Structures are given as structure tokens and as C-alpha cells.
Amino acid sequence: MRTSRLLLRSGPAVAAAVLPFALTAQPAAAVSGISVSTTGSTVSVVTGACAQTNGSWGTAALLGSGQASFAQGRQVVLSGTSVSQSAAWSGVSPGTYTVVVMCSNGTTAGTQSVIVSAPSTPTISATTSPSPSRGVMGGLGGAARDVGPVTMGVGGTLVGVGVIAAAWFLRRRSKPYRL
């Protein structure tokens, strides 16, 4: 019993002493400082790891399967702000590529592989039945033709008769002494 009380009393003190060291510790494994994405035949990279030196943030290179060094790839200058820098390549053919970002101070911000897939082309099928000349009339139950004044008059009469019958029925129910 005495040991559990001792641990309960000393626990917050130990946590207060260890917490500042735990919060300032750096991660053990290095994480890539770039994010690569593809949209169709466009490859883009975003990073926040580079600092501006002599008016330049750095350069990004897109390396194909046969390319081994940064100088052999398609190079694009990074643009952006101190928070985020980006570069993009358009018209990239399908395949596997490696994106390398080199900051202007000579350090590598990160390297990441990306797969560009072939764009899917939508298939267009020919319609054999002609579409309605006025299209679908939304709000009217999807009808493709107008209703005449006679149809509207008969419908209004039926709704009126229904309202009168419902009122008469409810009035008779509320007075059970009448027959």
C-alpha cells in the first residue's frame, strides 16, 4: 500500500521533469521534405524545406527510368514563398519517375518516386432514339408535354372535392352525438 502511494505522489513530478525533453526530441528517422502528386500528365512537387539564397529557392528535377543523376532530368526552378515552394512538369508520358529537389544552398530537400498512369479516355456512345424536343421538364414529374386548361380544371375540382370531404368527415367525428 505504501509503494502505490509513493508512486502516485511522485508520478506528476517525474512527468513534469521528463515532458520538456520529450517535446524537444527530434525524430529518429529522416522524413522526406517533399510531396509529389500527379494529375493526368502533370507532375507537381511541393516542399517547405528550402531557403531563398541569392533570389533563388532551388531546382527540382524529374528523372526518367534511364536517368541516374540530377543533371540528366527535366529541371524546373522552384517558385513560391518562405513557407512553400513548388514546381510542375506538364506533358509527362506514362511511366515511373523520380523527383529530386535540390535547394539553392546545395542540400537535397528530398527524393520521391511517382507513377504517371495513362489518361483514361471516356467512351462516347451514339444514341439511337431521338431526345424530346423540349427536354425533360423538371418539377412536373418529368413530363415532356404540356397539360391543357381542361386537365388543370378537372384536377383542381378533384382537389377541392377532396378538401371538402375531409373537412366534413373530421367535423362529423368530433361530434359523436350527431348521426
Side-chain angles (χ1 to χ4, degrees), residues 58-155:
T59 307
L62 182 69
L63 305 173
S65 60
Q67 300 169 330
S69 69
F70 185 83
Q72 293 175 339
R74 289 175 55 184
Q75 296 184 9
V76 176
V77 177
L78 290 173
S79 62
T81 63
S82 61
V83 176
S84 174
Q85 303 87 40
S86 63
W89 299 268
S90 59
V92 179
S93 59
T96 302
Y97 296 90
T98 302
V99 177
V100 180
V101 176
M102 187 74 70
C103 295
S104 59
N105 61 3
T107 61
T108 302
T111 302
Q112 188 173 343
S113 294
V114 65
I115 297 173
V116 178
S117 58
S120 61
T121 56
T123 57
I124 300 172
S125 62
T127 58
T128 57
S129 61
S131 59
S133 61
R134 293 188 54 206
V136 175
M137 298 167 60
L140 296 175
R145 61 185 177 96
D146 284 331
V147 288
V150 175
T151 306
M152 291 295 282
V154 171

Side-chain angles (χ1 to χ4, degrees), residues 15-85:
V18 173
L19 186 61
F21 295 113
L23 292 177
T24 59
Q26 296 296 324
V31 178
S32 177
I34 65 173
S35 174
V36 180
S37 62
T38 62
T39 305
S41 65
T42 302
V43 176
S44 60
V45 62
V46 177
T47 185
C50 295
Q52 191 173 26
T53 306
N54 296 330
S56 173
W57 296 104
T59 307
L62 182 69
L63 305 173
S65 60
Q67 300 169 330
S69 69
F70 185 83
Q72 293 175 339
R74 289 175 55 184
Q75 296 184 9
V76 176
V77 177
L78 290 173
S79 62
T81 63
S82 61
V83 176
S84 174
Q85 303 87 40

